[in-house]
Amino acid sequence: MSYNEAMISKRLQEELSLLIIRSSMKGKYAIVQIAEDNHITPYASHDFVFTRTRTTRTMKSLAKFMSCDPSNVTGIIEQLVSEGFVDRKESLNDRRIKTVSLTNKGLALRDKFLEITTSTRLPNLDSLSDDEIEQLIAILEKANRN
C-alpha cells in the first residue's frame, strides 16, 4: 500500500466514524431521559437498546458486548433485577455461569427505547431507496461482527 492509499483509507475511516457518531447522537438524549425516568443508568440502557430478541445471555457475553469489565456488568444487572427489568439465573450446567434475560417489563422498556431510536432518524434517510438502506444495514452489520 502506498503512502497515498494509507492517507485515503485513514480519511475515509475518519469520515465514516464521524458520520456514525453524529447519526447515533440523534437519539442519545431521549434514551438518557427514558433511562432516568425508569431509575436506571444510561449505561444500563445499552442492553435494552441493542438486544434484538428475547434471548438469554451470559454475564460474560454482556460484558464483552458492552466493552466493559465483568464486575461492572454485575452492578448493572443487579440494578436491572431490582427494578424488575431482567431475570438472572444460574446456568443448569455450570453454577459459576449466570444468565440474564429480559422480563415482560424489560421487553416493554425495550420497546420504548426502540421507538425513540427509530423515530429520531437522520433527516435525509427518506432520500435513500429500500435497496440502499438494506445495503447500509448489511455493511454496518458486517462491520460490527465480533
Side-chain angles (χ1 to χ4, degrees), residues 1-143:
M1 180 183 313
S2 71
Y3 175 77
N4 192 31
E5 288 173 318
M7 291 302 294
I8 292 170
S9 177
K10 183 176 179 354
R11 181 189 61 80
L12 289 174
Q13 177 63 40
E14 288 172 354
E15 186 174 333
L16 178 61
S17 294
L18 289 173
L19 285 170
I20 290 171
I21 290 167
R22 188 171 9 159
S23 64
S24 67
M25 295 300 288
K26 297 281 185 187
K28 176 187 175 200
Y29 298 107
I31 290 170
V32 168
Q33 187 61 54
I34 291 172
E36 289 175 357
D37 290 348
N38 287 278
H39 311 288
I40 62 174
T41 64
Y43 198 70
S45 70
H46 290 176
D47 193 44
F48 292 102
V49 176
F50 300 114
T51 300
R52 284 188 174 174
T53 59
R54 186 177 199 149
T55 58
T56 299
R57 302 168 83 172
T58 65
M59 299 279 280
K60 183 177 182 177
S61 72
L62 281 173
K64 183 177 179 184
F65 173 75
M66 296 171 76
S67 300
C68 68
D69 189 82
S71 63
N72 292 343
V73 172
T74 301
I76 292 168
I77 295 303
E78 285 176 5
Q79 178 190 22
L80 296 174
V81 167
S82 72
E83 293 291 334
F85 294 117
V86 298
D87 285 325
R88 178 181 47 204
K89 297 178 182 171
E90 289 182 354
S91 168
L92 297 174
N93 300 331
D94 187 341
R95 290 182 13 196
R96 296 171 296 174
I97 298 173
K98 306 291 187 249
T99 60
V100 178
S101 59
L102 293 174
T103 62
N104 288 335
K105 184 178 177 182
L107 289 169
L109 183 58
R110 176 185 173 270
D111 289 344
K112 282 184 188 178
F113 282 121
L114 289 176
E115 183 180 322
I116 290 297
T117 57
T118 57
S119 67
T120 53
R121 320 177 327 153
L122 295 173
N124 295 317
L125 195 59
D126 292 333
S127 67
L128 299 177
S129 70
D130 286 351
D131 286 342
E132 289 172 322
I133 292 171
E134 287 176 8
Q135 290 172 11
L136 180 59
I137 290 169
I139 291 166
L140 290 172
E141 285 178 341
K142 184 176 181 180

